[in-house]
Amino acid sequence: MQINTLNQSPCTTEVVFVLEDSVSTIDVIKKAQDKEVFTAKAASSYFALGEGKNKNYLAIGLGKKDKLNAHSIRKALNTLYSQLKALSIDTFAVDTSTLGDNCTRLFVEALINSSYVFDQLKSEKETFKLKQVDIITQSVSEVTRDIKISQAIANAQNYAKDLKNLPANICSTDYLLNEAKKLVATNDHCSLHYIGEEEMLKLGMGCISAVGRGSPMPSYIACMEYRGGKKEDQPIVLVGKGLVYDTGGLCLKPWQSMSSMKMDMGGAASVFGTIQAITRLKLPINVIGVVALVENSLDGNSYRPGDVLTSMKGITVEIGNTDAEGRLVLCDTLTYIERYKPKVVIDIATLTGAMVVALGGDLTGLFSNNDTLAGDLKLASKESHDPAWHMPLHAPYHELLKSDVADMNNIGGPAAGSITAALFLSKFTENYTWAHLDVAGSAMTGFEKATATGRPVPMLTQYLINQVK
Ligand code: BES
Ligand code: ZN
Ligand code: MG
């Protein structure tokens, strides 16, 4: 899709956004409002031929002005996209100013997200594609910059959705390793370093190795090193949980909970997406995108409840539940990346079902051992309309992770499940500034029929953009 910025556009179709409590300046739409054919209620629409034969208008209702927010704008953009498709309009002009100040980014990101279809595995492909959008504005240079950022972010989100939607029989650990190879090949400042199971055992990574042992798929830790900044700048390290499938292991999940577990690599998918976005934006910054690629399956060689594992850090872990595998995969990866002498580490993981219970499907849970970092991520979340909630690393709850036979247990019991999972990780991240994003709710919505969201690519990319300023 080509997106232009112009003072005025020669397009025959113009899209106009209309607030319910205002009257359109365009005559045919005003008439429709007067006759109440078009109410401008949230996500309503109206198509009209203009008086001059060469102009059509597609009006999209926004509802009342005081109710207008990112959420309602996204809904309006979904309506816009389905109307464009129904009318086979692939080229249009639009004035986004009715959406509010600085709303170009929201507009472009919502439009590209609305256009997402997953038809790779269908014989019949979607044929409708948007060709060209002319955004009419008086501040061409600012808006052009906004569009570039939005295109990078939203295309990266759609890329992350593709990876999540692909099932584990296709999107295996080898498939994702290959994806990392492809991604680094697109950019001169990017290279790949990865380790396999043998190296993991040599390094003493008893936790990640145990999780991968029940699956015939090989485990990998793959590091996409993007060095767009100065050589001496310490990197920001992103670590993504990449469970290509989570059966729960010997503590097998019921089938209803399993159907969305092809997306348990959602954290890793957001790392792939963010690396793609920053390489396209050529940010002058050093970032290492690390993905821990493992399958949690079961066979005679699986790790068991009751086993005691020794992590790379030397901390011993008693297994209370083999379904709490994410923290085991992450703890060794978080120790491994100390070699990069990171300025900041952010891990992203579909870590706990308890996160969905606490915050629902929309909010990302944000934990950090540093208030400045938490504040920076909150700001990025707000600016990119990618909602997150600051959660507590409540120290007294460390007690819930006590084990009789080892240094720690991998589960903390039924209470405060997301907090105890984060506290578990915090034992491995004491040497650097760290944040943990639990995206069990926000990376996918719904359970038995989950859909991929491509989040938190917007928040992460915005955070990295802000680090450049
Ligand atoms: N992958 C799940 C978490 C999850 C659940 C993500 C639902 C997205 C939607 C994770 O590995 C898991 O199973 N966690 C257990 C931990 C428990 C055994 C302490 C959980 O949440 O039930
Ligand atoms: Zn899992
Ligand atoms: Mg699990």
Side-chain angles (χ1 to χ4, degrees), residues 184 189-194 221-229 231 233-240 270-272 274-275 278 285-291 333 336-348 460 464:
V184 298
H189 298 290
C190 226
S191 61
L192 181 71
H193 166 78
Y194 71 94
I221 294 176
C223 310
M224 295 169 272
E225 308 184 359
Y226 171 72
R227 300 198 182 270
K231 212 175 162 199
D233 288 349
Q234 283 175 272
I236 294 167
V237 179
L238 307 176
V239 175
S270 73
V271 172
F272 280 112
T274 304
I275 295 293
I278 64 166
I285 190 172
N286 295 334
V287 180
I288 318 286
V290 180
V291 287
T333 309
Y336 180 72
I337 54 94
E338 281 188 23
R339 68 187 51 212
Y340 286 110
K341 306 210 169 15
K343 184 165 100 186
V344 159
V345 178
I346 303 166
D347 80 68
I348 310 99
L460 292 170
L464 295 173

Side-chain angles (χ1 to χ4, degrees), residues 166-178 217-218 220 244 293:
L166 283 169
N169 67 314
I170 296 168
C171 186
S172 60
T173 54
D174 277 309
Y175 181 96
L176 286 179
L177 180 67
N178 193 47
M217 286 190 203
Y220 301 107
V244 294
L293 307 174

Side-chain angles (χ1 to χ4, degrees), residues 241 243 246 248 253 257 260-261 264 296 321-327 350-354 356 410-413 417 438-441 444 447:
K241 170 180 172 182
L243 263 288
D246 179 16
K253 284 180 185 292
S257 321
S260 62
M261 285 302 127
D264 209 18
N296 186 23
N321 192 317
T322 61
D323 196 11
E325 84 299 331
R327 60 199 80 180
T350 49
L351 201 65
T352 61
V356 192
N410 81 325
I411 56 166
D438 193 335
V439 293
M444 42 179 156
F447 261 117

